Amino acid sequence: MLYAFLIVNSVLILSIQAYFDDVLFDIQNQNRFNPYMFSLPTIFHVDRHTQYGYVRGTSYQVDSRDSFYPKYISVFLGIPYARPPVGLYRFKPPLPPDPWEPAFLLYDATYYRPSCLQPASEQEKIRQYIPHFPPSNFSEDCLFLNIFAPNRTDRYMPKLPVIVFIHGGDFIGGSSQIYNGFVLAQRNVVVVTFNYRLGPLGFLSTKTLNGRGNYGLFDQRMALKFVYDNIREFNGDPENITVIGHEAGAASIGLHLLSQNTPLYFRRAVMMSGSDLCKWSTIEDEHYPLEQARFLARRLTCNDRNVDVLLDCLRQRSGLDIMNSAKHVWFPDEFGGHPWRPTIDTFTDDVIRPIFSRRPIELRRLGLFANVSVILGTTSDDGAIHFAQQPINLAVIDKGFSLHDQHAYLNMFINRRVQDRYSFQRQTFAYEYAETDYVLPRGGDMYLDEEGIATVIKYKYAHWPQPDNMTMLRQRLVDLHSDEHTTSCVADAARFHARHTFNSTYMYVFAYHSLASYYPYWMGAPRSSELDYLFGMPFINDSQRMPWHGLLRRQIFTYVDEEMSNYTMQLFVNFARYGEPTPGGFLREYTPPSLERPSGLVHSPLGYALRLNVAWLPQLVQNMTYLLIDRYPSLQTNYRFDAAGFWSEYWPTAFQRRITPVPTKYYKHAVLNHRDTTILMLFFMSAFILAIIVLIILCGVLFVRVRHETNESVNKTNSNRRQTKFENKE
């Protein structure tokens, strides 16, 4: 009995020792903030080593059909990749994180850390995915990353490809928490997501070395370096990293490709719904980023004349006050609606190299961008959401647009663009006037041919096969917003990569619209539609024991949606693993049955897998192929390159037209400029005309006087003659 008692005690102690170790770890870290305490219980904890200490994550068992042994996915959340950018580190490039403190040698990576500060409107967009996302979960201390990795204990197995995702949000919003890489990691890849600084905290620039801007891009570079240095400990291959970006994230990737003399830290790139050639991707020097920073400083009662004093004052203000004041800085809608974007960085030092030092289009034309394999793409109705947010009666949108309604909308569209140009011209004149110490203004008035521009846009976006087709006229307006914002710059970037690189360039157009979509049918596939399928949203189910951390599905997904998600995930996983979405001309390792079956179906529809198995060929200059991702995928050519030429080539010149003659160029330190010469010419012409009028009046007066005196002389002469004649008669 004694031996049996000792054996039972030993078994019980060994079985509960790990549990009490975890409880002790939780007690030591009981002050941590975890807003999602209702998330599912973990299977077990797993520890990994980094350059800065050990991190503890959680591991979850998933369904495994490719192995006899159970399969686990390890999740590490909220790992700091840089020092907190607060206090004196605000408006500065990031620094490497400090090693974990000796009292906490094991860093708790079992819950998400705060997202970066952003406007309230952007916070509401996050709550569309995570309804219980608290306002307190936004902080300036936000430089954290999350790793989703298959848990493989065999050290001799080859390392897995790595996918690093950079979220979008127009450089002012977004969070890594709404992109859960748990389902995607089940495809035997390591998935990494991270936060980076947004808004003025991430992109305010004073065009000086002390305030060079692009802090959000430097954060991204630091995150990629952290992944490159440490991902091997998480079963990832540091030499096989693929970076995927959406919208602002895609533009950021394009700018990283332009970096010169700096490590790239990734091998392949995917740009979704954006590129560095988009008008909203950067703020040009002609848009005066310094003056935008000065306007923000004046809103916060800071001295705006001395740049160093301005930055020191802004560092003393709270981050929330800076974000609230930033929304009052006006900027044209055509260029994004706000100035907090990447800017040209001509400053450099021995430690931190600039991201890009010239305009992206100039570097592209010179071929000065990284020679890597890329995928570029967009959705078929990228501008549908933006179009639906316009001040239009929704009932009118649902039934379609008549020709008169479409022309009225286009007139409104052009009028807004023209008025924005006028407003920006006046603002630019004020900036130039301030630069000259309020002595001599520079620049000229702009006179735009609004009616002519409207005529061109009406011709471009008419539906000529059926000019009165109401649904097609509505679709043409959706195409208008898609082309202006995304399609044109994505097509231009694809053309540059296909022409100047020897690595493969692929392009896709995501056109799939779920029958259960919360978007109306006329909106098709709006912006970010492909992200739900890339991250496996159809497989998120409340009944599954998986770590969703408050992430909810916004619609009911069907079996076909699950298959489209499987298909989309495998395309991009193949590209990350092999450098080709369909290596060998077929979708390698694609299995038609879904990972999970919430719909209850066991067998896929007959022949459905064959319809999805389409070879995705790279683009060539003479054959710009792209994959149309829909329920029936197909390979097509030349996606809207005519629209790309219109918006990148013609549209800028349309706003350079003037009713009056175009003035000559002016020089910054010229004594006179074209506005001054115009005023002088007007003055001299007025003086000349006035002199002529005075001369005519004087000539008239003189003529009248001479004529009067002549008449008087003649009359006097005649009188004298009559008097003489009268005297002679007497």
Side-chain angles (χ1 to χ4, degrees):
M1 293 293 296
L2 180 61
Y3 288 109
F5 177 76
L6 293 176
I7 292 174
V8 170
N9 272 344
S10 300
V11 172
L12 289 175
I13 291 173
L14 291 175
S15 61
I16 66 176
Q17 182 178 1
Y19 171 78
F20 279 107
D21 288 342
D22 295 341
V23 170
L24 180 62
F25 178 80
D26 294 335
I27 293 175
Q28 292 175 349
N29 297 273
Q30 58 182 342
N31 294 325
R32 72 184 191 273
F33 173 73
N34 188 352
Y36 307 117
M37 294 301 294
F38 56 86
S39 59
L40 297 173
T42 62
I43 302 301
F44 61 85
H45 288 304
V46 59
D47 302 336
R48 290 290 182 267
H49 180 264
T50 69
Q51 292 179 336
Y52 308 98
Y54 282 90
V55 296
R56 167 165 288 188
T58 52
S59 190
Y60 299 84
Q61 184 177 358
V62 297
D63 185 21
S64 175
R65 291 189 174 93
D66 57 356
S67 175
F68 174 78
Y69 300 99
K71 185 175 182 179
Y72 294 88
I73 301 296
S74 299
V75 180
F76 303 86
L77 306 175
I79 302 176
Y81 67 84
R83 196 170 301 175
V86 297
L88 296 177
Y89 297 112
R90 181 188 289 175
F91 304 128
K92 289 185 178 180
L95 297 175
D98 296 323
W100 321 145
E101 298 180 6
F104 302 96
L105 293 178
L106 196 61
Y107 183 84
D108 183 11
T110 61
Y111 64 97
Y112 280 111
R113 265 47 175 203
S115 300
C116 292
L117 285 177
Q118 50 197 280
S121 59
E122 299 297 325
Q123 296 181 18
E124 290 302 320
K125 294 179 181 179
I126 296 177
R127 294 190 182 95
Q128 294 178 5
Y129 297 89
I130 308 176
H132 302 284
F133 204 88
S136 58
N137 203 21
F138 293 95
S139 171
E140 194 172 356
D141 181 10
C142 61
L143 301 186
F144 303 99
L145 56 80
N146 317 296
I147 301 176
F148 305 84
N151 190 6
R152 304 170 66 176
T153 57
D154 190 346
R155 68 180 62 183
Y156 299 105
M157 295 184 67
K159 297 300 181 181
L160 301 174
V162 182
I163 293 178
V164 181
F165 182 77
I166 304 178
H167 69 78
D170 202 23
F171 297 107
I172 60 172
S175 172
S176 62
Q177 296 193 30
I178 61 179
Y179 303 105
N180 192 304
F182 187 80
V183 176
L184 185 57
Q186 298 178 43
R187 293 285 182 176
N188 288 327
V189 292
V190 179
V191 182
V192 182
T193 63
F194 64 89
N195 300 324
Y196 57 93
R197 282 176 281 181
L198 305 167
L201 297 176
F203 297 96
L204 181 141
S205 173
T206 60
K207 304 305 293 183
T208 61
L209 183 59
N210 193 24
R212 61 196 302 180
N214 296 340
Y215 312 114
L217 295 182
F218 288 120
D219 294 342
Q220 296 171 10
R221 179 190 287 177
M222 181 65 71
L224 291 172
K225 183 178 185 303
F226 183 96
V227 172
Y228 183 84
D229 293 338
N230 297 278
I231 202 63
R232 185 176 293 275
E233 298 295 331
F234 298 87
N235 300 321
D237 184 1
E239 302 300 331
N240 192 11
I241 297 177
T242 300
V243 58
I244 301 179
H246 178 260
E247 201 240 4
S252 301
I253 292 175
L255 295 175
H256 286 298
L257 293 175
L258 303 178
S259 298
Q260 304 295 319
N261 303 321
T262 56
L264 204 55
Y265 300 122
F266 59 88
R267 186 174 181 179
R268 303 180 184 97
V270 178
M271 290 180 274
M272 296 178 163
S273 297
S275 76
D276 52 288
L277 298 180
C278 298
K279 292 182 293 185
W280 47 264
S281 64
T282 59
I283 176 172
E284 304 283 350
D285 289 345
E286 62 188 24
H287 295 160
Y288 295 92
L290 172 59
E291 296 300 331
Q292 312 296 341
R294 284 174 172 169
F295 186 89
L296 176 63
R298 289 193 294 270
R299 295 281 308 183
L300 295 167
T301 66
C302 292
N303 183 357
D304 65 331
R305 300 306 299 170
N306 187 291
V307 172
D308 294 332
V309 175
L310 180 150
L311 291 172
D312 291 338
C313 179
L314 289 179
R315 290 189 179 101
Q316 297 173 10
R317 301 293 187 265
S318 70
L320 188 59
D321 290 341
I322 294 177
M323 295 302 298
N324 291 333
S325 299
K327 62 184 179 182
H328 298 288
V329 181
W330 182 86
F331 202 68
D333 289 337
E334 184 176 355
F335 301 106
H338 67 85
W340 317 120
R341 305 177 184 281
T343 182
I344 298 174
D345 184 6
T346 58
F347 302 96
T348 184
D349 52 41
D350 296 334
V351 179
I352 302 175
R353 305 288 298 178
I355 301 295
F356 63 107
S357 57
R358 299 175 64 177
R359 296 177 62 222
I361 185 63
E362 296 176 359
L363 295 173
R364 289 280 186 179
R365 287 170 178 169
L366 294 174
L368 300 177
F369 53 92
N371 193 349
V372 298
S373 298
V374 298
I375 292 179
L376 300 103
T378 181
T379 58
S380 59
D381 304 278
D382 184 88
I385 296 178
H386 184 69
F387 173 63
Q389 294 172 347
Q390 300 303 311
I392 312 172
N393 188 352
L394 293 179
V396 175
I397 299 181
D398 290 336
K399 72 177 183 180
F401 274 64
S402 66
L403 186 61
H404 177 270
D405 292 337
Q406 192 207 36
H407 285 182
Y409 181 87
L410 291 175
N411 288 333
M412 179 190 69
F413 175 83
I414 296 299
N415 180 261
R416 287 184 176 181
R417 293 294 183 265
V418 170
Q419 294 303 321
D420 275 357
R421 296 278 181 149
Y422 284 148
S423 300
F424 188 70
Q425 176 72 6
R426 291 191 294 267
Q427 189 181 68
T428 301
F429 173 74
Y431 295 155
E432 294 174 344
Y433 191 45
E435 274 192 0
T436 58
D437 295 328
Y438 307 98
V439 175
L440 183 65
R442 304 197 316 272
D445 291 328
M446 179 184 294
Y447 303 95
L448 299 176
D449 185 6
E450 180 176 343
E451 183 178 356
I453 299 174
T455 301
V456 172
I457 206 79
K458 290 174 186 176
Y459 175 84
K460 175 64 179 176
Y461 286 94
H463 183 61
W464 292 111
Q466 295 178 331
D468 297 328
N469 189 317
M470 298 180 67
T471 57
M472 286 307 302
L473 291 177
R474 178 187 59 197
Q475 181 60 42
R476 295 299 291 157
L477 294 179
V478 174
D479 294 340
L480 165 70
H481 289 281
S482 302
D483 296 341
E484 182 196 24
H485 186 274
T486 304
T487 305
S488 58
C489 54
V490 170
D492 287 338
R495 186 186 300 110
F496 277 110
H497 277 279
R499 182 183 305 167
H500 292 283
T501 63
F502 60 83
N503 281 301
S504 299
T505 301
Y506 299 89
M507 186 175 179
Y508 75 89
V509 176
F510 190 89
Y512 178 71
H513 180 86
S514 172
L515 295 178
S517 175
Y518 49 87
Y519 292 120
Y521 185 76
W522 67 265
M523 294 184 69
R527 186 178 308 155
S528 75
S529 297
E530 72 271 44
L531 295 182
D532 288 345
Y533 298 91
L534 175 62
F535 285 94
M537 287 295 291
F539 302 106
I540 293 181
N541 193 310
D542 295 337
S543 64
Q544 298 175 359
R545 296 173 56 86
M546 295 184 182
W548 306 131
H549 296 275
L551 184 65
L552 298 179
R553 302 192 302 178
R554 297 193 293 173
Q555 71 176 67
I556 298 174
F557 291 96
T558 65
Y559 180 81
V560 178
D561 298 335
E562 297 172 8
E563 292 306 322
M564 288 303 302
S565 180
N566 264 333
Y567 179 69
T568 304
M569 285 190 291
Q570 198 59 50
L571 285 174
F572 290 95
V573 167
N574 280 347
F575 180 73
R577 179 174 287 118
Y578 308 111
E580 300 179 36
T582 54
F586 59 91
L587 198 61
R588 183 176 298 183
E589 298 180 1
Y590 174 70
T591 55
S594 302
L595 296 177
E596 302 291 341
R597 300 185 182 279
S599 57
L601 295 179
V602 177
H603 300 289
S604 60
L606 183 62
Y608 187 69
L610 297 179
R611 293 198 297 268
L612 294 180
N613 203 0
V614 177
W616 188 353
L617 301 180
Q619 284 192 331
L620 302 176
V621 176
Q622 65 274 17
N623 187 17
M624 301 295 286
T625 58
Y626 68 93
L627 179 67
L628 182 67
I629 302 178
D630 203 347
R631 185 168 183 176
Y632 301 95
S634 60
L635 199 65
Q636 302 185 16
T637 60
N638 298 323
Y639 181 72
R640 301 191 63 79
F641 281 95
D642 56 339
F646 175 83
W647 288 98
S648 61
E649 300 295 335
Y650 173 78
W651 185 255
T653 62
F655 283 91
Q656 293 176 359
R657 294 184 177 182
R658 292 174 171 87
I659 297 177
T660 58
V662 179
T664 57
K665 293 184 178 180
Y666 61 90
Y667 300 92
K668 184 173 182 180
H669 300 292
V671 177
L672 295 177
N673 53 70
H674 64 80
R675 170 174 289 188
D676 300 318
T677 55
T678 303
I679 295 174
L680 290 176
M681 288 298 296
L682 179 62
F683 174 80
F684 285 125
M685 289 298 295
S686 301
F688 179 74
I689 294 173
L690 181 61
I692 292 177
I693 294 174
V694 172
L695 182 61
I696 293 173
I697 294 174
L698 291 176
C699 290
V701 172
L702 183 60
F703 175 79
V704 172
R705 290 189 61 181
V706 169
R707 185 174 181 179
H708 179 70
E709 292 177 357
T710 303
N711 290 336
E712 288 182 351
S713 177
V714 170
N715 293 334
K716 187 176 181 180
T717 304
N718 292 336
S719 177
N720 291 335
R721 287 179 179 178
R722 286 194 296 269
Q723 185 176 2
T724 304
K725 185 177 181 180
F726 179 77
E727 291 176 353
N728 291 335
K729 287 182 178 180
E730 291 182 346

